[in-house]
Amino acid sequence: MTTFLQQVFNGLTLGSIYGLVALGLTLVYGILHIPNFAHGALYMVGAFMSYFFMVDMGVHYWIAMAGSAVVVAVLGIICERLVFHQLRNSPPIHDKIAAIGILLFLEAMVHMFWGSEFRRMSSPFGGVMNLDGVYLREQGILIIASTVVLVVALNLFLRKTMVGATIIAMAQNREGAFLVGIDANRVAMMTFAISGGLAAIAATLYAPLNLVYPAMGHLVIMKAFVIIILGGMGSIPGAIVGGMIIGFAEAFGGYYISTAYKDVIAFSLLVVILSIRPQGLFAKGAH
Amino acid sequence: MHPASKYVLLAVALLFPALASNEYQVYVMATAFVWAIAVYGFNVITGFCGQLNLAHGGFFAIGAYTVGLLTSDAGWNFWPAFIAALFMTAILGFLVGAVSLRLKEHYFAIFTLCVGFIIYLLLDKWEELTHGAVGVRNIAAPDGFGLVNFRETMPVYYLVLFFLVFIIWFTGRIQKSLVGRTFIAIRNGDELAESLGINLMKTKILAFVISTTYAGLAGALYAGMIRFVGPEDGNILLTFNMIMYMLVGGIGTLFGPLIGTVGIVWLTQSLQFLEEYRMIIFGPLLVLLVIFFPLGVCGSFLTWMHRKAQALGLGPKKAKSESKVTTSDQEAKNNA
């Protein structure tokens, strides 16, 4: 029972991180219909920015996280303006290739500045709580709590504010949104900013449990893609639910099946599900 | 493209070892040709048929590993292993294609990205079969049957060139055939192609199997030439490289993959001092290409030629054929 509960906790931690990354990806997809392959690179840059702020500038964890979120949000806006905006009338294959170009560039830049070695990032929440044999890492609790706060905040922002409503409107119906005078450029920039910020926060939350290195985004972005396909591309609740599915599948699969193959589990799950349901688990109609 | 220019290209390729200043250059050229063969496969599925298959590099690795494992562990000769690699990639291509091609556009790209990653992870983790991160050593060189020694650079160069010429010829035949035209019809629109009576699934799977077999062929040659394969040969970055080769040369054109691959491989050679940082140049290059020159070198050249022909030949006799060309502009570009 304790090992089971332990895996539940691990699954929740992983699922929260995946959910946050997938959330940014699904927002961009829902509004701009771009599968942003560079999202994993934004996540990676987020971790390195936090590392830079914490280790080189010596600021506190929270401030580093905020600074990193701002930097990556701006980076997202730059990508949108310089690249995706220019390609808005191109065939969809061009968006994907351009996103790959951004990914390669960002990785090479980070590689040049920081090298390829693995770095460890500390956090003020290094302790472990023992609850009847179940070990709860403080960082894990922080991750779960932060995810809940962020998701609730994002939801309130999207539902209760005018600015958020324009994003929802764009996702629901592009032409309709233009018709009522919504500025598409502003919505696109804002979406990229939120998406980048979420990626940076997720990276900063997860980095203390993991390591920081230029290729750290590869697996995460691919899992995030698996998640948004499972949850329906563009769906916000789908991203969270999908994130939890993958998180739990990995925690339990890693423990009960094989640790070496735990990364294969997510992808195999996708292959199996898409073989049976090509439109994804929760997709409603055509997207 | 002008018919004579093909023979000029071929002559240059045949004479290249004589023109090269050292053996290393010949070796680099042979590697570029191997990549070009794989990129031709990529061009069939992505350029002609319009499906971005991000597992393409994985099939290259499967071809290379099939030859590697059969020759080093099972003690086969190179050529039987080579044939086995072709069958292996064709069969796996069929299976993966049958599942993945039910998905459209982004779903297909993401799905194949995951397939590519599964291939990479298996190569890296399935140690009993693939030797894991150590890789496969002692791969047999292609058997020259006592006539030539394919352990040397020159014979290998001509061997690879032979396969490259064959692949270009074969791709040209596909492009001109009805099958090739159905590929292009699918790229231009799934629904439209279907309403013309094209069996979408069958045609897409055919394109996919052709492309993976090309990748397998390239991988098999690569294994015989380098005689070592490791999991990094299945890295997703290789697929990204191939996208760049194809895009620079001209997506969906017959000579684009060749020009793009050879051009970028030599550019990479001259940028050796950048080493792993070369993506700082190539990443933005990729972005600039899709924004400003989505047709690539070959495509832009053909469009330019086409415009010139249009501007020059507007006589009454030519006007008729000219108007025919403009209506099927896209197709004309691809046939040239």
Side-chain angles (χ1 to χ4, degrees):
Chain A
M1 192 62 197
T2 45
T3 46
F4 178 80
L5 285 176
Q6 182 72 55
Q7 296 317 319
V8 169
F9 178 73
N10 292 351
L12 268 176
T13 315
L14 273 177
S16 301
I17 292 298
Y18 294 158
L20 280 184
V21 179
L23 205 55
L25 201 58
T26 212
L27 271 177
V28 167
Y29 186 82
I31 287 153
L32 301 159
H33 296 266
I34 299 167
N36 187 8
F37 289 118
H39 195 66
L42 294 180
Y43 170 87
M44 180 268 302
V45 171
F48 270 95
M49 287 322 295
S50 292
Y51 180 85
F52 169 74
F53 285 131
M54 273 180 78
V55 175
D56 297 326
M57 313 271 281
V59 301
H60 190 261
Y61 181 70
W62 291 112
I63 301 169
M65 186 192 283
S68 158
V70 170
V71 170
V72 179
V74 171
L75 195 59
I77 294 176
I78 294 173
C79 289
E80 201 281 326
R81 283 286 91 189
L82 290 185
V83 181
F84 296 113
H85 183 70
Q86 315 292 331
L87 287 167
R88 64 200 179 283
N89 297 323
S90 304
I93 202 167
H94 290 176
D95 288 327
K96 286 177 250 182
I97 295 172
I100 289 171
I102 297 174
L103 157 86
L104 295 174
F105 173 71
L106 289 179
E107 247 174 54
M109 284 301 273
V110 167
H111 196 168
M112 191 171 82
F113 282 116
W114 282 284
S116 61
E117 63 263 38
F118 293 70
R119 289 154 194 275
R120 192 168 284 285
M121 195 167 110
S122 61
S123 114
F125 306 94
V128 177
M129 277 197 274
N130 187 347
L131 218 76
D132 271 346
V134 182
Y135 293 96
L136 306 182
R137 287 183 178 193
E138 282 178 7
Q139 187 71 23
I141 297 170
L142 175 74
I143 287 172
I144 298 166
S146 314
T147 304
V148 172
V149 170
L150 281 171
V151 170
V152 169
L154 183 69
N155 214 26
L156 285 177
F157 169 71
L158 290 177
R159 309 268 164 211
K160 303 285 179 199
T161 66
M162 200 59 193
V163 187
T166 61
I167 296 184
I168 297 269
M170 271 280 278
Q172 284 171 343
N173 190 328
R174 264 184 105 76
E175 279 74 30
F178 292 154
L179 214 56
V180 294
I182 290 173
D183 182 356
N185 288 340
R186 220 179 64 147
V187 172
M189 285 195 283
M190 205 145 50
T191 312
F192 264 92
I194 295 173
S195 158
L198 283 174
I201 293 172
T204 313
L205 283 169
Y206 194 41
L209 294 183
N210 216 308
L211 292 164
V212 181
Y213 54 100
M216 66 187 286
H218 290 181
L219 264 178
V220 174
I221 180 69
M222 272 187 253
K223 284 173 191 166
F225 269 121
V226 172
I227 289 160
I228 68 169
I229 286 187
L230 290 181
M233 307 226 328
S235 153
I236 293 171
I240 303 296
V241 175
M244 288 301 162
I245 292 178
I246 296 296
F248 277 99
E250 233 170 70
F252 282 95
Y255 185 79
Y256 291 105
I257 302 171
S258 153
T259 331
Y261 287 106
K262 78 171 171 18
D263 290 329
V264 184
I265 291 168
F267 303 117
S268 312
L269 204 63
L270 176 86
V271 170
V272 171
I273 289 173
L274 283 186
S275 310
I276 303 162
R277 272 180 68 89
Q279 67 276 45
L281 271 188
F282 308 109
K284 283 176 249 143
H287 224 307
Chain B
M1 199 176 258
H2 198 271
S5 50
K6 289 176 198 169
Y7 297 108
V8 174
L9 274 181
L10 183 62
V12 171
L14 284 172
L15 291 175
F16 181 77
L19 302 171
S21 51
N22 56 40
E23 205 176 312
Y24 177 69
Q25 289 186 345
V26 180
Y27 184 76
V28 171
M29 203 56 160
T31 331
F33 287 169
V34 168
W35 289 118
I37 293 173
V39 177
Y40 269 97
F42 205 14
N43 198 32
V44 169
I45 187 69
T46 306
F48 295 168
C49 207
Q51 315 292 318
L52 183 61
N53 171 23
L54 294 175
H56 197 71
F59 286 98
F60 176 89
I62 289 175
Y65 263 85
T66 308
V67 165
L69 294 172
L70 283 178
T71 58
S72 77
D73 287 5
W76 287 31
N77 255 331
F78 178 82
W79 292 111
F82 177 82
I83 304 287
L86 297 187
F87 275 102
M88 187 72 158
T89 43
I91 293 166
L92 283 176
F94 175 78
L95 294 176
V96 171
V99 175
S100 62
L101 288 163
R102 296 163 72 205
L103 309 166
K104 300 207 174 187
E105 282 194 6
H106 305 320
Y107 284 77
F108 177 77
I110 295 165
F111 185 89
T112 49
L113 182 73
C114 293
V115 171
F117 208 73
I118 291 176
I119 294 173
Y120 170 70
L121 285 176
L122 286 179
L123 295 179
D124 193 40
K125 308 267 186 218
W126 192 359
E127 292 187 356
E128 297 82 10
L129 181 72
T130 65
H131 307 237
V134 185
V136 185
R137 288 162 201 285
N138 301 323
I139 297 172
D143 190 359
F145 304 108
L147 299 171
V148 274
N149 181 4
F150 285 120
R151 284 162 195 272
E152 286 169 9
T153 309
M154 294 296 160
V156 155
Y157 174 83
Y158 285 107
L159 180 74
V160 173
L161 180 62
F162 165 77
F163 279 106
L164 177 67
V165 171
F166 171 77
I167 286 291
I168 297 176
W169 171 79
F170 188 71
T171 313
R173 298 287 300 178
I174 293 176
Q175 201 184 31
K176 287 201 186 77
S177 70
L178 186 64
V179 175
R181 281 160 194 269
T182 55
F183 291 168
I184 291 164
I186 288 176
R187 180 187 64 196
N188 291 344
D190 262 7
E191 281 91 5
L192 189 63
E194 205 167 18
S195 68
L196 288 171
I198 294 171
N199 184 333
L200 276 187
M201 203 53 196
K202 237 165 102 179
T203 315
K204 281 186 188 173
I205 290 182
L206 181 65
F208 197 85
V209 170
I210 293 174
S211 80
T212 57
T213 314
Y214 280 21
L217 173 77
L221 286 174
Y222 177 83
M225 197 173 119
I226 310 283
R227 303 180 53 212
F228 165 77
V229 289
E232 284 313 307
D233 293 319
N235 196 314
I236 199 85
L237 286 175
L238 294 185
T239 309
F240 294 167
N241 277 342
M242 287 190 220
I243 293 180
M244 182 159 61
Y245 298 158
M246 181 173 66
L247 210 68
V248 170
I251 186 167
T253 61
L254 185 55
F255 282 90
L258 177 67
I259 292 169
T261 311
V262 172
I264 296 288
V265 166
W266 281 104
L267 186 64
T268 314
Q269 283 294 319
S270 59
L271 295 176
Q272 283 265 311
F273 62 95
L274 281 171
E275 286 172 27
E276 61 254 62
Y277 310 134
R278 67 200 157 83
M279 285 303 171
I280 291 178
I281 292 175
F282 287 137
L285 178 72
L286 211 52
V287 174
L288 291 175
L289 273 170
V290 286
I291 296 177
F292 297 109
F293 300 100
L295 296 173
V297 174
C298 245
S300 302
F301 177 72
L302 290 172
T303 321
W304 177 73
M305 288 282 283
H306 180 64
R307 287 221 185 101
K308 212 174 77 176
Q310 248 183 338
L312 284 175
L314 279 179
K317 248 185 178 179
K318 278 200 169 176
K320 204 175 169 191
S321 65
E322 210 56 68
S323 66
K324 201 176 146 201
V325 171
T326 36
T327 48
S328 54
D329 193 20
Q330 189 69 29
E331 217 173 330
K333 260 181 247 158
N334 287 299
N335 287 335

